[in-house]
Amino acid sequence: MNRQRPLTHLVHELLALALQPGDRAVDATAGNGHDTLHLAQQVSPGGCVYAFDVQHRALDATAGKLYAAGLRDNVNLCRTGHQDMLQRIPAAWHGRVAAITFNLGYLPGGDKQITTAATSTLAALEQSLQLLQNGGVLSVLAYRGHPGGAQEADAVQRWLEEHADQLECQVYESPGPVLLYCTLHRPSA
Ligand code: SAH
C-alpha cells in the first residue's frame, strides 16, 4: 500500500468500488459528515443513508455538508448511539444494507471527552451483522492515540477475529489509525 495516502481516502476509494446508485448504507459515526456525504454521493440517485451520532454539533455539521451538496433528502440523521441502530433502522433494511462505516474516536475540533467506547462499538458491530446484505461491507477506522483508543481498536480486532467465519477482513496499518475493511459472507442456511 502507498503509505503516504491517508486511510480516510483509502476508505472512500474502497467504498466507491463497493457501492452503487440505489444502495442502502449506514454511517455509524457521522462526526463532521465526510463519510456520510461520501456514502450519499455513492448511493445516489435512488439510494438512502442512515447516519448516527450522539452529538448535535456533529449532526449539524453533517446536515450542512448534505444541504450544500443537494443530498440532505437522501439521508436520515439520527441523534442516537449506534448501539441502538438496529432498533432505529426500519425492518425493511435488515439484511439489505450494502455498507456500514465506523470512524471511531472523538469529533475532530470538538469535545475530546466524547468518544466512541468499546462496549457500545461492539454492540453496534453485532447489529451490523443483521443489517448487512450478503457481500456487504463493514469498514472500521480505529484511532489509537487518545485514552481508550488502543483498547477499543484491540477489542474491535478481536471481535472481527471471532467472526472470521463470516467476515473476510483486510487490515491496513498506518502510524496513526488502523483500517479494518471487511466483507460479509453469510453462512448458508
Ligand atoms: N477520530 C476521527 C473522527 C471520529 S468522529 C477522526 O479524527 O477523523 C466520531 C464520532 O462518533 C463523534 O462525532 C462522536 O460524537 C461520535 N460518537 C461517540 N459515541 C457514539 C455512539 N455511541 N454512537 C454514535 N456516535 C458516537
Side-chain angles (χ1 to χ4, degrees):
M1 148 187 142
N2 176 359
R3 300 233 164 240
Q4 302 308 310
R5 184 171 42 166
L7 291 179
T8 45
H9 293 192
L10 177 62
V11 181
H12 283 195
E13 287 170 22
L14 294 169
L15 289 168
L17 294 172
L19 288 168
Q20 298 180 41
D23 278 347
R24 300 178 183 90
V26 174
D27 186 352
T29 48
N32 286 317
H34 298 103
D35 295 336
T36 306
L37 175 62
H38 185 68
L39 293 175
Q41 287 167 334
Q42 302 313 309
V43 305
S44 292
C48 193
V49 176
Y50 267 82
F52 294 86
D53 206 290
V54 292
Q55 297 190 67
H56 276 303
R57 179 178 172 160
L59 294 171
D60 288 348
T62 301
K65 285 196 177 62
L66 294 169
Y67 278 120
L71 291 168
R72 178 66 188 87
D73 290 346
N74 307 45
V75 179
N76 292 286
L77 293 177
C78 306
R79 198 171 76 80
T80 307
H82 44 223
Q83 62 275 21
D84 294 322
M85 68 181 173
L86 191 61
Q87 210 178 307
R88 214 37 224 277
I89 293 174
W93 279 46
H94 297 188
R96 299 201 172 97
V97 174
I100 303 181
T101 64
F102 290 77
N103 190 339
L104 303 177
Y106 56 82
L107 180 67
D111 183 345
K112 293 188 178 177
Q113 306 296 320
I114 305 174
T115 69
T116 54
T119 309
S120 39
T121 299
L122 294 192
L125 290 172
E126 283 291 343
Q127 295 173 26
S128 299
L129 293 179
Q130 294 186 56
L131 290 166
L132 284 172
Q133 64 194 21
N134 202 14
V137 161
L138 179 62
S139 167
V140 184
L141 192 56
Y143 296 77
R144 297 168 290 197
H146 59 283
Q151 292 89 330
E152 185 181 25
D154 284 349
V156 170
Q157 280 189 282
R158 275 198 306 277
W159 184 90
L160 293 173
E161 281 159 20
E162 286 163 16
H163 293 80
D165 57 327
Q166 303 180 59
L167 290 167
E168 188 188 331
C169 297
Q170 298 283 328
V171 180
Y172 299 92
E173 277 291 347
S174 82
V178 57
L179 170 62
L180 307 153
Y181 189 86
C182 308
T183 306
L184 177 70
H185 299 292
R186 211 180 283 293
S188 45

